[in-house]
Amino acid sequence: MKWDKILRDAWRALFRHRLRSFLSSLGIVFAVMAVVGMLSIAEGAKQEILDQIERLGTNSVIVRSLQLTKAQEADPRRRLSQGLVLSDANALKNTIHTISNVAPVKEVKASLPISIAQDPFEILAVTESYQLAKNLTVRQGRFVSVTDVVRKNLVCVLGEEVSRLLGDGGHLGEALRLEHRTYRIVGILHKRQWKYSKSPALAVRNYNRVIFIPMGTEVTDVHEQTRFGEISEIWLRVARNENVQACAEAVRRILNQKHGGVEDFQVIVPQELLIQAQKTQRIFNIILGCIAGISLLVGGIGIMNTMLASVAERTREIGIRRAIGAAQEHIVVQFLCEAIVLTTTGGCIGIILGAGSAVIISKVAGWKTVLTVWSVIVSILMAGGVGLVSGLYPAVKAARLEPVRALRHE
Amino acid sequence: MNGGEKIVETLGIRKVYEMGSHKVEALRGLDFSVKPGEFVGIMGPSGSGKSTLMHIIGCLERATEGTYLLGGQDISSISDRDLSLMRANQIGFVFQTFSLISQYNVFENVEIPFLYRKETRNEARRLAEKAIERVGLSERRYHRPSELSGGEMQRVAIARALAVDPLLILADEPTGNLDSETSKNIISLFQDLNEQGTTLIVVTHEKEVASHCQTIYHLIDGQIVNDEGSA
Ligand SMILES: Nc1ncnc2c1ncn2[C@@H]1O[C@H](COP(=O)(O)OP(=O)(O)OP(=O)(O)O)[C@@H](O)[C@H]1O
Ligand SMILES: [Mg+2]
């Protein structure tokens, strides 16, 4: 078969009735546009969430201290708990064997040096385990060490941006004054990618803007009423991925017991969030599939209608072609090609419109959208498939026409 | 085989059209043959079965009964696909009403049969060019049918029929829609082709046209009544 000629003829036949072709392919255009647009949004959302979960680490469990509400504050039972404290971290470490790393963190409120005071920097009191928990890499010097924690050495490690903003005062060995204590800079971290996140549960710290000091060396503001040993977070790392769920359960149970049922902590399991995200994704996919299916069905009916009309008005042409040698399969191929060209062209327009609307949505709504090659291929195949299915009946009908009868047709 | 002698040979061909309970017998036992290089005319009143006979000879439909040998080969009961192949390779058709595809230009119309044949692209182009030249339309090969006169359109149809160098060319009232001057033109074109060796079967109502034929058959009610011929 001479495919270039067949395709050219299909194009011509469609172009001759361009308005009709255009109108009949609108269904496909919109179906594909909706599919591509929605897939881009879904893909964008998925990547964003996966990114954040990835950053938290799928094999970590995070315990975060929670501020009590007014009502809980009034409940006398709250006295049973002293909040999230260092001993919680130790208890978890000693009871749960699947945990490979425990990193308690305390957010410290202290006044910063004047040169960086106006920027939102964070001071974190940590142990040496924190480096492993967050995969922090040191560019110069070292991280907070065990000895620092045990001896309560007045040393600090700076995030890249902190060091840069401090200028000369931000080099190794320089002194940094926090509140009324002076810390010696022993390490500077590598610059780290950071992205703003809307979801607070998934929020990730910007480590470029953090000053680390050894746990226990922090002096808190006299006005601040923190209890002894209270910490903000505990980062647990589980050795094996499959133990994460069980570990999270154990953490909840142990802490509930220790805190006498007071809900002053929150356990965040990135792996659970991932599963949740996948579940949402699945629901979204089903809805998307239904919408796409219905609109493609409607679009396909439109195409079939047009092709039937086309066959009817070209009966004589079919007769002529048959008389000069076309076999049934040639006629089938001719009309099938026409239908497929019609729908794939509609599909291509739909992809362009869908990609365009994804761009507009990301501009207007601020959502991340991602156009994948995969979704483009699927859309084109889908459009072509609709052409194949809806063109088949008209094409076979055309081919089954008796040549003589077709020739006598006016 | 005696087929070497005859290009077309029909033995007791019958064609019955059934329309519900009602039957129309278009051909009633027809024996008919054509020798290579012959120029045959078929005449007869309307409804006598001329077109039906042409369709059977042209492999467009099968006879209800009887044997049909084309080029010595029995094709009375071959498949639809093989019939299509016969049409593509052995037969050239010219119809009364203009049978060109209106969205194609002259050249493309003449090229259509090659869509269904094995020739390469270049070979097809060359043969189409040659056929157009033979009917004297080279100048107009990029014109659309709507830009041609009736006679010119019929010449394009003839070019399309002879482009594939068929065993025989069938023409069903090729001059039926033309004025007498143009008809003469077409007939002399047929005669030229015949002199160059093409076998032709032409259905016509016009004595003028028939006078050019070597053999004339008269069909009445689906039967050949007599031969009037000058061999
Ligand atoms: N497809 C068909 N179904 C039913 N009857 C048919 C069919 N084709 C032809 N006939 C009948 O067969 C008979 C012969 O028709 P045919 O077309 O061969 O005549 P014709 O000699 O070509 O006439 P004309 O000179 O008017 O073209 C007619 O009675 C016609 O009505
Ligand atoms: Mg007729």
Side-chain angles (χ1 to χ4, degrees):
Chain A
M1 298 226 188
K2 296 168 181 167
W3 290 105
D4 58 329
K5 292 240 163 84
I6 292 170
L7 287 178
R8 185 201 62 186
D9 286 354
W11 255 114
R12 275 205 200 173
L14 293 171
F15 194 73
R16 215 154 70 95
H17 296 283
R18 45 195 164 279
L19 183 62
R20 184 175 79 181
S21 303
F22 170 70
L23 291 176
S24 66
S25 65
L26 274 185
I28 304 288
V29 170
F30 287 127
V32 170
M33 175 177 151
V35 169
V36 168
M38 290 177 80
L39 276 180
S40 309
I41 293 170
E43 186 64 29
K46 187 173 125 194
Q47 283 193 9
E48 206 159 65
I49 288 174
L50 281 183
D51 238 43
Q52 290 164 2
I53 291 170
E54 210 61 45
R55 249 164 243 257
L56 291 175
T58 46
N59 61 346
S60 31
V61 174
I62 305 149
V63 184
R64 221 168 248 175
S65 145
L66 276 188
Q67 204 67 38
L68 288 177
T69 61
K70 278 262 150 54
Q72 287 169 322
E73 213 42 93
D75 188 341
R77 269 192 312 158
R78 82 177 164 94
R79 290 177 207 289
L80 294 174
S81 168
Q82 42 183 168
L84 195 63
V85 290
L86 213 47
S87 70
D88 286 333
N90 292 329
L92 294 176
K93 189 178 187 173
N94 296 332
T95 351
I96 308 172
H97 304 297
T98 51
I99 295 177
S100 64
N101 190 47
V102 176
V105 186
K106 181 175 172 69
E107 289 167 0
V108 180
K109 294 209 179 81
S111 55
L112 291 160
I114 325 246
S115 56
I116 58 167
Q118 68 274 29
D119 287 302
F121 288 103
E122 257 187 298
I123 303 168
L124 296 182
V126 295
T127 66
E128 76 291 343
S129 337
Y130 198 70
Q131 183 177 15
L132 181 64
K134 299 305 300 177
N135 284 329
L136 298 173
T137 52
V138 178
R139 191 181 72 194
Q140 272 181 314
R142 59 177 178 85
F143 196 70
V144 172
S145 70
V146 190
T147 333
D148 291 336
V149 178
V150 174
R151 297 219 180 127
K152 301 204 191 315
N153 286 338
L154 292 183
V155 295
C156 67
V157 177
L158 306 184
E160 190 267 347
E161 222 167 303
V162 184
S163 149
R164 191 150 45 80
L165 284 173
L166 283 171
D168 281 342
H171 295 313
L172 281 187
E174 294 291 329
L176 181 68
R177 204 167 166 75
L178 300 173
E179 207 69 20
H180 58 267
R181 282 190 181 175
T182 307
Y183 290 80
R184 193 165 48 87
I185 301 172
V186 293
I188 294 163
L189 298 182
H190 272 297
K191 193 178 169 71
R192 227 169 117 122
Q193 280 294 324
W194 178 81
K195 246 170 47 207
Y196 173 74
S197 152
K198 275 165 289 183
S199 149
L202 299 176
V204 175
R205 281 200 175 83
N206 183 356
Y207 289 103
N208 301 321
R209 294 169 158 266
V210 169
I211 301 166
F212 297 93
I213 57 175
M215 182 73 79
T217 65
E218 73 277 9
V219 260
T220 46
D221 211 306
V222 272
H223 308 294
E224 213 196 326
Q225 317 236 316
T226 49
R227 278 165 287 189
F228 174 76
E230 186 163 11
I231 54 176
S232 325
E233 289 168 13
I234 306 170
W235 283 77
L236 305 169
R237 180 171 278 212
V238 183
R240 296 157 66 98
N241 254 325
E242 62 267 29
N243 292 332
V244 170
Q245 284 300 319
C247 173
E249 287 311 309
V251 168
R252 285 195 178 105
R253 207 180 50 241
I254 292 166
L255 289 184
N256 251 323
Q257 220 165 33
K258 273 200 85 197
H259 290 217
V262 181
E263 291 178 8
D264 52 3
F265 67 92
Q266 175 192 24
V267 178
I268 299 164
V269 188
Q271 208 177 68
E272 279 175 6
L273 296 173
L274 187 67
I275 292 165
Q276 187 58 45
Q278 282 165 346
K279 219 175 269 170
T280 319
Q281 180 76 33
R282 229 180 342 259
I283 294 169
F284 188 85
N285 283 348
I286 290 169
I287 295 172
L288 177 65
C290 290
I291 293 173
I294 292 169
S295 31
L296 285 177
L297 185 71
V298 173
I301 292 170
I303 298 294
M304 189 185 285
N305 214 353
T306 305
M307 290 312 297
L308 283 174
S310 174
V311 168
E313 76 197 16
R314 280 154 72 193
T315 302
R316 195 168 160 79
E317 177 190 324
I318 295 165
I320 295 166
R321 284 180 184 271
R322 293 282 272 144
I324 54 185
Q328 289 193 341
E329 67 215 45
H330 290 116
I331 304 295
V332 170
V333 166
Q334 181 189 344
F335 282 95
L336 261 191
C337 269
E338 222 173 287
I340 292 172
V341 167
L342 182 58
T343 54
T344 38
T345 308
C348 289
I349 296 172
I351 287 169
I352 293 169
L353 292 181
S357 53
V359 169
I360 291 171
I361 285 168
S362 72
K363 284 260 158 61
V364 174
W367 297 350
K368 181 177 178 176
T369 57
V370 176
L371 181 69
T372 58
V373 179
W374 174 83
S375 72
V376 169
I377 292 172
V378 164
S379 306
I380 289 191
L381 287 183
M382 234 166 43
V386 169
L388 184 74
V389 170
S390 53
L392 196 60
Y393 172 67
V396 167
K397 193 175 158 166
R400 291 249 173 95
L401 283 172
E402 277 177 47
V404 172
R405 223 172 263 249
L407 273 174
R408 286 184 200 266
H409 191 90
E410 287 314 312
Chain B
M1 228 196 218
N2 60 353
E5 272 294 303
K6 289 164 184 163
I7 281 187
V8 170
E9 185 164 24
T10 72
L11 299 167
I13 288 279
R14 272 171 29 95
K15 180 71 190 179
V16 181
Y17 291 107
E18 288 190 42
M19 314 187 71
S21 56
H22 181 72
K23 282 186 186 175
V24 181
E25 204 170 354
L27 300 176
R28 317 161 178 247
L30 204 112
D31 301 328
F32 171 84
S33 63
V34 178
K35 291 196 263 311
E38 210 174 359
F39 188 170
V40 174
I42 296 176
M43 298 189 78
S46 184
S48 58
K50 305 182 296 292
S51 296
T52 307
L53 178 61
M54 293 296 264
H55 292 154
I56 290 174
I57 294 171
C59 304
L60 269 170
E61 57 187 340
R62 288 192 206 84
T64 317
E65 242 174 64
T67 311
Y68 171 32
L69 304 171
L70 175 63
Q73 191 186 350
D74 186 353
I75 59 161
S76 330
S77 53
I78 61 173
S79 71
D80 187 85
R81 193 155 191 279
D82 291 334
L83 272 186
S84 304
L85 273 176
M86 291 307 270
R87 291 197 298 273
N89 295 318
Q90 317 279 23
I91 310 284
F93 258 116
V94 180
F95 299 99
Q96 171 179 5
T97 42
F98 311 118
S99 52
L100 305 182
I101 293 179
S102 54
Q103 63 265 38
Y104 294 173
N105 64 31
V106 168
F107 181 72
E108 289 162 334
N109 263 291
V110 176
E111 249 191 344
I112 299 174
F114 295 104
L115 263 182
Y116 313 119
R117 290 165 58 94
K118 289 198 193 65
E119 279 86 355
T120 63
R121 226 166 296 271
N122 288 333
E123 183 69 358
R125 193 172 307 137
R126 192 182 64 79
L127 290 173
E129 292 277 7
K130 202 176 103 186
I132 293 169
E133 207 178 295
R134 275 177 84 180
V135 300
L137 283 175
S138 291
E139 312 280 79
R140 320 215 37 188
R141 62 175 174 278
Y142 297 124
H143 286 226
R144 294 289 172 100
S146 57
E147 295 157 355
L148 302 178
S149 72
E152 285 163 342
M153 281 197 257
Q154 212 54 319
R155 269 157 51 199
V156 176
I158 294 167
R160 186 178 65 193
L162 63 87
V164 299
D165 192 25
L167 205 58
L168 80 161
I169 289 179
L170 303 173
D172 193 350
E173 299 189 40
T175 58
N177 280 11
L178 303 177
D179 60 58
S180 58
E181 200 52 39
T182 323
S183 294
K184 265 184 209 151
N185 250 318
I186 294 296
I187 286 306
S188 70
L189 176 58
F190 275 134
Q191 208 154 23
D192 289 348
L193 293 179
N194 180 244
E195 276 158 23
Q196 286 159 39
T198 309
T199 312
L200 284 158
I201 305 176
V202 179
V203 170
T204 184
H205 282 297
E206 293 157 66
K207 283 266 186 301
E208 168 71 30
V209 174
S211 67
H212 292 84
C213 301
Q214 293 157 7
T215 319
I216 296 170
Y217 294 99
H218 283 272
L219 260 184
I220 291 174
D221 276 347
Q223 281 177 312
I224 290 179
V225 267
N226 63 321
D227 291 21
E228 273 182 13
S230 52

